Amino acid sequence: MIFKKICTLFLSLLILLGLCSCDVKKVNPEHFESSQIVQSSSVKENNLTYYPVVRVVDGDTIIVLKDNVETKVRLIGIDTPESVAAGKNAEKNCEEGKVASDYVKDLLSDGTVALEYDVEPNDKYGRDLCYVYLTDGTMLNKLLLEIGYARIMRIEPNIKYVAEFDEIALKARRDKKGFYSQDVLPWKN
């Protein structure tokens, strides 16, 4: 356990050192006019703080290293099919959930993301609720809706981008993107 933590810390430091010595793509600051960006000892660019990604849990949940603590982050406003549900919810796991999870793993292979919080910063499970940005400024939440790997999940009061999300999801469905190309959708309520 200690060895794993030391390895994670060492890898995080290597990522941070690599980011400091290379040309980091900047996130568009217009996305963050009224947002709260969490401060950390992580790399800071253009008033945004980038956190090392420790791992991807599934398509809509990741773990980042924030203030030297592994913090579980749930993407706001979206829901991907299940891939790691346990116990009596295990029957909700499906191949599409694995596809979405693998897609996010591939996207976050560079290892850093910026976080934007909405009104409610945490859910009842203690996860940070965030809009997650890639280093090129792309909001991951929107991207997953655009490609049809996620559906909208509205939970007030975190609805800052709900109108945009509605438009994006409607277009994905209309264009039969991703999971919307199937006759039966993969989400099992």
Side-chain angles (χ1 to χ4, degrees):
M1 184 72 170
I2 292 174
F3 179 73
K4 183 178 177 182
K5 286 184 180 183
I6 290 171
C7 287
T8 301
L9 184 59
F10 179 73
L11 287 173
S12 298
L13 288 172
L14 284 177
I15 291 168
L16 289 173
L17 289 173
L19 287 173
C20 291
S21 64
C22 65
D23 182 28
V24 177
K25 295 177 184 175
K26 296 182 179 172
V27 174
N28 183 350
E30 293 174 11
H31 293 294
F32 296 89
E33 288 178 313
S34 62
S35 67
Q36 300 172 311
I37 304 301
V38 176
Q39 301 304 310
S40 164
S41 59
S42 298
V43 176
K44 194 163 184 175
E45 281 285 324
N46 208 16
N47 289 329
L48 299 177
T49 304
Y50 291 85
Y51 301 96
V53 176
V54 175
R55 74 181 176 92
V56 173
V57 176
D58 61 18
D60 53 34
T61 307
I62 63 174
I63 297 175
V64 300
L65 191 63
K66 189 172 102 178
D67 300 326
N68 296 321
V69 175
E70 290 188 5
T71 303
K72 196 174 271 193
V73 175
R74 175 66 166 77
L75 279 68
I76 298 175
I78 68 163
D79 182 43
T80 61
E82 294 298 328
S83 64
V84 294
K88 66 180 182 176
N89 290 322
E91 77 265 359
K92 293 181 178 182
N93 293 331
C94 61
E95 186 58 32
E96 293 86 351
K98 184 169 174 12
V99 168
S101 181
D102 288 345
Y103 180 80
V104 174
K105 286 176 186 174
D106 288 343
L107 272 180
L108 300 182
S109 64
D110 78 344
T112 59
V113 293
L115 306 177
E116 176 186 8
Y117 289 79
D118 206 333
V119 177
E120 191 71 35
N122 302 100
D123 65 9
K124 64 184 179 182
Y125 306 108
R127 300 176 296 189
D128 284 15
L129 300 173
C130 299
Y131 303 103
V132 175
Y133 291 86
L134 307 177
T135 55
D136 69 356
T138 302
M139 184 197 289
L140 181 56
N141 314 52
K142 287 182 185 179
L143 178 61
L144 290 169
L145 288 170
E146 285 171 4
I147 65 172
Y149 281 10
R151 66 178 175 178
I152 292 177
M153 184 174 77
R154 288 182 196 88
I155 299 180
E156 292 190 12
N158 293 342
I159 56 171
K160 181 176 183 177
Y161 297 106
V162 72
E164 286 179 74
F165 285 10
D166 282 341
E167 288 177 29
I168 292 167
L170 181 62
K171 182 172 180 1
R173 179 172 274 203
R174 191 173 44 238
D175 295 345
K176 298 189 180 296
K177 296 273 183 110
F179 305 141
Y180 292 112
S181 66
Q182 304 172 151
D183 290 332
V184 178
L185 294 178
W187 291 277
K188 299 172 180 131
N189 295 330

